[in-house]
Amino acid sequence: MSVAPCLICATPLLPPERGEVVCFASACDSTEISSFPESLPTSLFPLPSKTSSHHRDSVYWSHVPEDCHIDWRRHRKHPILDICMDIAHFFNTYDTTYVERNRYNFRAMATNTDYFQIYRIAGRNQATGERQILTFVPGRAYKIGPRGGWRWLNVGYAFGVGPDGRSKASELNIAAYNSRVGCDMNWQRSSSPFTLRRVRGVSGLPEYSVKGYEVDGISASTLALNVYAVANYRHFSYPAAYNSCTVQLKSAGSLIVGASYDYQRFLFDPDAAQSVIRDVIREVNPTAPVPTLIDQLRVRTVNYHRIGVNVGYAYNWVPAPHWLVSASVSPSLGFKKQVGENISRDMLIDNFRNFHLDAIFRAGVTYNRQRWFAGASAVSYLYDYRHHNYDLNNNITYFKLYVGVQFLKRKRCRLASDRTKW
């Protein structure tokens, strides 16, 4: 009898009795016993057989739980229900040596959110070359609020708690994750008072002389919707870092490809800003003339939509059991359209001339015991808008501290000896 190599690990197969061959190599995941012909094919490219197809399938589904194996050609007793279940399993096929699946149905969390936001507006008088820049930050406010989830879905709301009660800020987050794709929506609103941080190009005013002065009549809101796909979905888990519904067991990274939609609304009162500049110049130099804001900076309302695509990279590092450190960056390229503006050739040319990359940065540290978890995360959005000698930059960074518990075990995770579902 001829000796053939194993189809998985290429180890020579030893033929035992009764004409069967088995691979006993320790590095080979295959322990299947298959019949082997008395003579080997002499062709350099042998025809595929059922045995090789079976081996390929066993490698493809290696370390994937049995309940996630999918046979799309199988007979279905209940076609619609069975296809829906297969699709659900298709989007949740983890390699369990890298990712531990969630054992619970529900989770509840308490969060404390501190956010740092900067608005920078700039205008340029093309005739004179004069350029003025104002930088604002919203009033200090901490956000607290409830947050909960069901399996792959997380919903959270937070409201601002300012030191003086004047700063109003609120935030809504909805996130849905599975092994292959993810979607998250963030809505954030801030209203007066905003404070000036710096000025540039305003005659007679030093750059930081206006720092801390309040400007009324400013409000801003941001809506961000992101959808993305994970390339290395069996080894890398995005939910492990930002949803706490899975546990990363080994370090892994992945390419992230997605699309985004953003809506920005910024209301600005130039007369209130002019009044603050007048008060500051009287304190700095009472005899100096009062500078005025150029017309290009007197834009009261900025409303625009943005649609873009992004490609980035994310990495989950597991320094110790139950611990996870994650970081990702996703540059985004797209086009912007003002509310009420018709799509035209001039608008597309203007987008091309004002080309700029936006970006999303994420980082987090998590300690997850499945039953309970805690962690901290930071998410930063960088937006840039340019239109006819006017620039608006918006940078939002969220810092979150959270602690949570999970409850109501999933049916497949309950042991026969368990007396409780919790």
Side-chain angles (χ1 to χ4, degrees):
M1 178 183 295
S2 302
V3 178
C6 173
L7 296 173
I8 303 300
C9 65
T11 302
L13 299 175
L14 300 179
E17 298 179 357
R18 294 186 294 181
E20 296 177 336
V21 291
V22 185
C23 178
F24 293 103
S26 60
C28 183
D29 290 331
S30 174
T31 57
E32 300 291 335
I33 298 177
S34 59
S35 59
F36 195 79
E38 292 292 332
S39 60
L40 291 174
T42 57
S43 171
L44 186 61
F45 303 101
L47 293 176
S49 63
K50 293 182 179 180
T51 302
S52 62
S53 176
H54 173 77
H55 280 296
R56 284 195 299 269
D57 290 343
S58 66
V59 172
Y60 182 79
W61 293 108
S62 62
H63 305 305
V64 174
E66 188 69 29
D67 60 331
C68 289
H69 290 201
I70 304 171
D71 183 4
W72 297 103
R73 296 170 294 182
R74 68 183 174 89
H75 174 72
R76 294 176 172 85
K77 186 177 180 180
H78 306 287
I80 297 179
L81 178 61
D82 290 346
I83 288 177
C84 291
M85 293 301 296
D86 285 346
I87 293 175
H89 291 156
F90 176 76
F91 284 101
N92 285 284
T93 53
Y94 288 109
D95 182 337
T96 52
T97 62
Y98 277 80
V99 179
E100 179 183 353
R101 296 189 299 168
N102 191 19
R103 299 194 296 264
Y104 295 89
N105 280 304
F106 296 95
R107 75 189 65 87
M109 288 177 281
T111 62
N112 176 22
T113 303
D114 186 17
Y115 77 100
F116 182 72
Q117 186 173 17
I118 297 178
Y119 276 94
R120 174 183 172 274
I121 59 175
R124 181 177 181 273
N125 188 325
Q126 196 168 4
T128 63
E130 184 181 5
R131 180 177 174 83
Q132 293 179 345
I133 302 174
L134 303 180
T135 303
F136 302 91
V137 295
R140 187 74 172 180
Y142 294 95
K143 294 180 183 178
I144 60 173
R147 191 176 181 90
W150 172 80
R151 295 189 183 181
W152 43 265
L153 178 66
N154 256 16
V155 179
Y157 176 76
F159 55 91
V161 182
D164 54 5
R166 299 175 59 197
S167 299
K168 298 180 181 179
S170 53
E171 174 191 351
L172 176 66
N173 309 108
I174 300 176
Y177 300 98
N178 58 47
S179 64
R180 293 175 183 260
V181 296
C183 175
D184 58 65
M185 186 275 289
N186 293 279
W187 173 79
Q188 188 267 345
R189 180 178 64 86
S190 302
S191 59
S192 292
F194 277 61
T195 59
L196 274 168
R197 192 174 184 184
R198 61 189 291 190
V199 298
R200 295 183 64 182
V202 179
S203 178
L205 280 182
E207 189 169 342
Y208 291 98
S209 61
V210 298
K211 186 175 182 179
Y213 282 83
E214 293 186 355
V215 180
D216 293 323
I218 300 178
S219 64
S221 60
T222 302
L223 174 66
L225 177 63
N226 302 288
V227 181
Y228 52 85
V230 178
N232 188 18
Y233 61 90
R234 288 197 175 173
H235 296 157
F236 172 86
S237 176
Y238 223 66
Y242 303 103
N243 205 19
S244 300
C245 62
T246 59
V247 179
Q248 188 82 38
L249 302 177
K250 296 181 183 179
S251 302
S254 178
L255 186 71
I256 306 293
V257 180
S260 62
Y261 165 78
D262 304 288
Y263 170 71
Q264 300 279 329
R265 186 170 187 264
F266 180 73
L267 302 181
F268 173 62
D269 186 353
D271 297 329
Q274 181 66 61
S275 177
V276 171
I277 290 175
R278 182 181 62 249
D279 294 341
V280 175
I281 197 68
R282 287 175 179 174
E283 292 182 8
V284 174
N285 189 358
T287 60
V290 177
T292 58
L293 296 178
I294 59 177
D295 292 338
Q296 287 76 11
L297 207 60
R298 292 179 172 271
V299 178
R300 293 182 175 270
T301 303
V302 177
N303 261 356
Y304 73 90
H305 304 278
R306 180 188 178 279
I307 298 176
V309 294
N310 53 74
V311 178
Y313 187 80
Y315 191 80
N316 283 351
W317 176 47
V318 182
H322 310 294
W323 285 95
L324 175 64
V325 179
S326 178
S328 68
V329 57
S330 297
S332 180
L333 174 63
F335 78 94
K336 304 174 180 71
K337 173 184 174 298
Q338 292 189 70
V339 174
E341 181 183 18
N342 295 323
I343 298 178
S344 63
R345 178 174 174 271
D346 292 338
M347 185 204 73
L348 296 176
I349 293 176
D350 188 59
N351 269 269
F352 181 77
R353 288 175 177 172
N354 297 324
F355 169 81
H356 192 82
L357 280 176
D358 297 335
I360 302 174
F361 304 91
R362 300 176 189 267
V365 179
T366 305
Y367 183 79
N368 194 338
R369 303 281 303 190
Q370 278 274 9
R371 188 70 175 84
W372 66 272
F373 56 89
S377 65
V379 181
S380 182
Y381 298 89
L382 178 62
Y383 302 106
D384 181 81
Y385 175 78
R386 301 176 184 180
H387 185 74
H388 297 318
N389 298 313
Y390 176 84
D391 297 348
L392 171 64
N393 302 101
N394 179 15
N395 184 8
I396 310 174
T397 301
Y398 301 94
F399 296 97
K400 292 184 180 180
L401 296 174
Y402 58 89
V403 60
V405 296
Q406 298 198 99
F407 53 92
L408 191 58
K409 278 187 178 180
R410 302 178 71 172
K411 186 176 181 180
R412 61 175 172 78
C413 298
R414 301 175 200 159
L415 299 177
S417 59
D418 285 351
R419 295 184 178 181
T420 177
K421 298 179 181 178
W422 306 87

